[in-house]
Amino acid sequence: MSRRVAIAGVALSDVGTVPEATPYGLIGQASRRALADAGLKPGDVDGLGSTGLGTLAPIDVAEYLGLRPRWVDSTTVGGASWEVMAAHATDAIAAGHADVVLLTYGSTARSDLRRKMRTASLNWGSRGPQQWESPYGHTLISKYAMAARRHMYEYGTTIEQLAEIAVSARYNAAENPEASFRDPITIEDVLDGPMIADPFTKLHCCIRSDGGAAVVLVAEDRVADLRSDPVWVLGAAESVSHVSMSQWDDMTTGPAAVSGPLAFQRAGVRPEDIDVAELYDAFTYMLLITLEDLGFCEKGEAGSFVEGGTLRLGGALPTNTDGGGLSAVHPGQRGLFLLVEAARQLRGESGPRQVPGARLAAVSGTGGWFCSSGTVILGRD
C-alpha cells in the first residue's frame, strides 16, 4: 500500500503567558482545535505522536486525551522531534498502519520560569558523552555562540547580518496577533542589548513562552471528509549529527545539510521553488546556517543573503512568517509550531501576514545544538 498523506487540521492552544494552564491542558486544547479544524472527532484518531513531558510519552498523552491509538511515536531529538515524527507518521499512513495521526505538544515553559520551578531551566545533565564537557561550564547557549563565531571567522559573516535575522522576525511578528512581541526593533537595538553569550545579545536568542500545538495528518482517502483544503506532504527526511561538540565535524554545517537535500529530492522540487520557509530559530545563527544547509544560498553566503529584507513578508523568501521563536512563540520545542504556520500559509489563512499565492513550503526543525534535523516539504494542489 502506498497512499498520499495530507495535513488535515492544525491549531495552537492559547499561547504567550498562560499561568493557569498545565502542559496537558494546552495539549488538550490544541488537539481539540486541530481535530475540529479537520472536521474529525477523537474517535477517528488511530495514531498518536507526542513527546516532551517525560512520563511514558506518548502513553500519558493518549490517556489524557482518551485515545487508544494503534500506532505511536515518541521520537525525542529536541526541537526537530516534530518534523521527524511527521516523517514517520507519513510513512505509517502511506503503508496503511494508521489512517489519522495526531501530533500534539504543550509546554508551560514561561510560567514555570516565573514560578521559579526547578524544572523550568533546561538541563541536559552530565551523563554519557556530556561528562566530558559539562564540568567546563559548556552551556547550551555557549555551544551556539562558539559555532556562530566560527562562521564569522570562516566566512566573514558580521554581527549586523545575524542581527538582521532577529529584526526580520520581529517585522513579521507585527502582523501576528498571537506573537509575544510585536513592536519593531532595529539592528542597533539588537547590538545594544545585554550580552548573553558572546556574540549573542538578548535579541539573538529565542523567547520563552507557554503554548501548545497540534497537527492532524490523514490518508488521501479521508480527504473528502475534511473541512478545509488538504496540504500534502510531498517529501520528508531526517538526520542526526553529534552530541559532543568535539564530534561535530564542521561548526558551519548542520544536519539539515543531509535532511534538506533528501527532502527536496523526495518531494521533486528545488529550493528556488519554495514560496515560504518555516525554520527553527532558537538563535539567529541556527537559522543562518539552515538557510545554507537547505540550499537557499551557497555555504558562507547566508549573511549577505539575509540582507535587504529577504526573510521578511514581501521579501524574496518569507521566513518564519509568524515571527518565529525569536518573537512569536517558543515554548521549549517549536518544531510543531512550524508545521502549523506552514499549513496555514498554504491554505491562505494567515490574514495580514499571508504570503500571496503560496503553494510550496519548506519546514525544517533543528534539535539540541545542531544535533538533529528534520525537513518536510509541503504543497497545495
PDB file of all heavy atoms in Angstrom, residues 139-151:
ATOM      1  N   THR A 139      27.674  25.515  28.368  1.00  0.00           N
ATOM      2  CA  THR A 139      26.223  25.585  28.399  1.00  0.00           C
ATOM      3  C   THR A 139      25.627  25.494  27.000  1.00  0.00           C
ATOM      4  O   THR A 139      26.336  25.612  25.994  1.00  0.00           O
ATOM      5  CB  THR A 139      25.776  26.902  29.045  1.00  0.00           C
ATOM      6  OG1 THR A 139      26.247  27.990  28.235  1.00  0.00           O
ATOM      7  CG2 THR A 139      26.312  27.029  30.463  1.00  0.00           C
ATOM      8  N   LEU A 140      24.313  25.321  26.956  1.00  0.00           N
ATOM      9  CA  LEU A 140      23.609  25.235  25.676  1.00  0.00           C
ATOM     10  C   LEU A 140      23.904  26.444  24.800  1.00  0.00           C
ATOM     11  O   LEU A 140      24.292  26.315  23.637  1.00  0.00           O
ATOM     12  CB  LEU A 140      22.097  25.121  25.927  1.00  0.00           C
ATOM     13  CG  LEU A 140      21.203  25.182  24.695  1.00  0.00           C
ATOM     14  CD1 LEU A 140      21.335  23.896  23.886  1.00  0.00           C
ATOM     15  CD2 LEU A 140      19.754  25.408  25.098  1.00  0.00           C
ATOM     16  N   ILE A 141      23.714  27.637  25.348  1.00  0.00           N
ATOM     17  CA  ILE A 141      23.882  28.839  24.529  1.00  0.00           C
ATOM     18  C   ILE A 141      25.340  29.055  24.143  1.00  0.00           C
ATOM     19  O   ILE A 141      25.641  29.559  23.053  1.00  0.00           O
ATOM     20  CB  ILE A 141      23.315  30.083  25.249  1.00  0.00           C
ATOM     21  CG1 ILE A 141      23.308  31.287  24.283  1.00  0.00           C
ATOM     22  CG2 ILE A 141      24.070  30.391  26.522  1.00  0.00           C
ATOM     23  CD1 ILE A 141      22.562  32.473  24.832  1.00  0.00           C
ATOM     24  N   SER A 142      26.268  28.635  24.992  1.00  0.00           N
ATOM     25  CA  SER A 142      27.675  28.816  24.643  1.00  0.00           C
ATOM     26  C   SER A 142      28.074  27.959  23.454  1.00  0.00           C
ATOM     27  O   SER A 142      28.961  28.329  22.678  1.00  0.00           O
ATOM     28  CB  SER A 142      28.572  28.509  25.842  1.00  0.00           C
ATOM     29  OG  SER A 142      28.568  27.130  26.153  1.00  0.00           O
ATOM     30  N   LYS A 143      27.403  26.830  23.287  1.00  0.00           N
ATOM     31  CA  LYS A 143      27.684  25.982  22.126  1.00  0.00           C
ATOM     32  C   LYS A 143      27.286  26.701  20.834  1.00  0.00           C
ATOM     33  O   LYS A 143      28.029  26.706  19.843  1.00  0.00           O
ATOM     34  CB  LYS A 143      26.925  24.655  22.260  1.00  0.00           C
ATOM     35  CG  LYS A 143      27.306  23.811  23.463  1.00  0.00           C
ATOM     36  CD  LYS A 143      26.372  22.614  23.587  1.00  0.00           C
ATOM     37  CE  LYS A 143      26.512  21.901  24.921  1.00  0.00           C
ATOM     38  NZ  LYS A 143      27.727  21.094  25.038  1.00  0.00           N
ATOM     39  N   TYR A 144      26.105  27.307  20.832  1.00  0.00           N
ATOM     40  CA  TYR A 144      25.665  28.072  19.666  1.00  0.00           C
ATOM     41  C   TYR A 144      26.569  29.276  19.415  1.00  0.00           C
ATOM     42  O   TYR A 144      26.900  29.603  18.266  1.00  0.00           O
ATOM     43  CB  TYR A 144      24.234  28.556  19.869  1.00  0.00           C
ATOM     44  CG  TYR A 144      23.193  27.484  19.721  1.00  0.00           C
ATOM     45  CD1 TYR A 144      22.564  26.942  20.840  1.00  0.00           C
ATOM     46  CD2 TYR A 144      22.832  26.999  18.467  1.00  0.00           C
ATOM     47  CE1 TYR A 144      21.600  25.958  20.712  1.00  0.00           C
ATOM     48  CE2 TYR A 144      21.874  26.020  18.332  1.00  0.00           C
ATOM     49  CZ  TYR A 144      21.255  25.502  19.454  1.00  0.00           C
ATOM     50  OH  TYR A 144      20.308  24.522  19.329  1.00  0.00           O
ATOM     51  N   ALA A 145      26.945  29.953  20.500  1.00  0.00           N
ATOM     52  CA  ALA A 145      27.777  31.143  20.357  1.00  0.00           C
ATOM     53  C   ALA A 145      29.140  30.791  19.759  1.00  0.00           C
ATOM     54  O   ALA A 145      29.649  31.504  18.892  1.00  0.00           O
ATOM     55  CB  ALA A 145      27.945  31.815  21.716  1.00  0.00           C
ATOM     56  N   MET A 146      29.715  29.695  20.218  1.00  0.00           N
ATOM     57  CA  MET A 146      31.006  29.270  19.689  1.00  0.00           C
ATOM     58  C   MET A 146      30.901  28.934  18.207  1.00  0.00           C
ATOM     59  O   MET A 146      31.771  29.302  17.398  1.00  0.00           O
ATOM     60  CB  MET A 146      31.521  28.067  20.480  1.00  0.00           C
ATOM     61  CG  MET A 146      32.902  27.594  20.071  1.00  0.00           C
ATOM     62  SD  MET A 146      33.597  26.380  21.216  1.00  0.00           S
ATOM     63  CE  MET A 146      32.472  25.018  20.971  1.00  0.00           C
ATOM     64  N   ALA A 147      29.818  28.233  17.828  1.00  0.00           N
ATOM     65  CA  ALA A 147      29.623  27.877  16.423  1.00  0.00           C
ATOM     66  C   ALA A 147      29.431  29.123  15.568  1.00  0.00           C
ATOM     67  O   ALA A 147      29.946  29.212  14.444  1.00  0.00           O
ATOM     68  CB  ALA A 147      28.433  26.941  16.285  1.00  0.00           C
ATOM     69  N   ALA A 148      28.692  30.107  16.102  1.00  0.00           N
ATOM     70  CA  ALA A 148      28.491  31.347  15.354  1.00  0.00           C
ATOM     71  C   ALA A 148      29.814  32.056  15.109  1.00  0.00           C
ATOM     72  O   ALA A 148      30.065  32.573  14.009  1.00  0.00           O
ATOM     73  CB  ALA A 148      27.531  32.259  16.117  1.00  0.00           C
ATOM     74  N   ARG A 149      30.653  32.102  16.129  1.00  0.00           N
ATOM     75  CA  ARG A 149      31.967  32.724  15.972  1.00  0.00           C
ATOM     76  C   ARG A 149      32.775  32.028  14.883  1.00  0.00           C
ATOM     77  O   ARG A 149      33.524  32.681  14.134  1.00  0.00           O
ATOM     78  CB  ARG A 149      32.724  32.678  17.294  1.00  0.00           C
ATOM     79  CG  ARG A 149      32.398  33.803  18.246  1.00  0.00           C
ATOM     80  CD  ARG A 149      32.842  35.138  17.679  1.00  0.00           C
ATOM     81  NE  ARG A 149      32.586  36.245  18.596  1.00  0.00           N
ATOM     82  CZ  ARG A 149      32.565  37.509  18.233  1.00  0.00           C
ATOM     83  NH1 ARG A 149      32.769  37.847  16.974  1.00  0.00           N
ATOM     84  NH2 ARG A 149      32.333  38.459  19.123  1.00  0.00           N
ATOM     85  N   ARG A 150      32.635  30.730  14.759  1.00  0.00           N
ATOM     86  CA  ARG A 150      33.383  30.007  13.726  1.00  0.00           C
ATOM     87  C   ARG A 150      32.926  30.428  12.328  1.00  0.00           C
ATOM     88  O   ARG A 150      33.743  30.628  11.426  1.00  0.00           O
ATOM     89  CB  ARG A 150      33.209  28.498  13.902  1.00  0.00           C
ATOM     90  CG  ARG A 150      34.128  27.682  13.001  1.00  0.00           C
ATOM     91  CD  ARG A 150      35.580  27.918  13.383  1.00  0.00           C
ATOM     92  NE  ARG A 150      36.505  27.477  12.346  1.00  0.00           N
ATOM     93  CZ  ARG A 150      37.818  27.570  12.440  1.00  0.00           C
ATOM     94  NH1 ARG A 150      38.373  28.107  13.519  1.00  0.00           N
ATOM     95  NH2 ARG A 150      38.600  27.149  11.478  1.00  0.00           N
ATOM     96  N   HIS A 151      31.609  30.573  12.159  1.00  0.00           N
ATOM     97  CA  HIS A 151      31.089  31.003  10.859  1.00  0.00           C
ATOM     98  C   HIS A 151      31.570  32.413  10.535  1.00  0.00           C
ATOM     99  O   HIS A 151      31.937  32.719   9.391  1.00  0.00           O
ATOM    100  CB  HIS A 151      29.562  30.947  10.871  1.00  0.00           C
ATOM    101  CG  HIS A 151      28.933  30.933   9.511  1.00  0.00           C
ATOM    102  ND1 HIS A 151      28.772  32.060   8.741  1.00  0.00           N
ATOM    103  CD2 HIS A 151      28.422  29.911   8.770  1.00  0.00           C
ATOM    104  CE1 HIS A 151      28.185  31.750   7.598  1.00  0.00           C
ATOM    105  NE2 HIS A 151      27.960  30.443   7.586  1.00  0.00           N
TER     106      HIS A 151
END
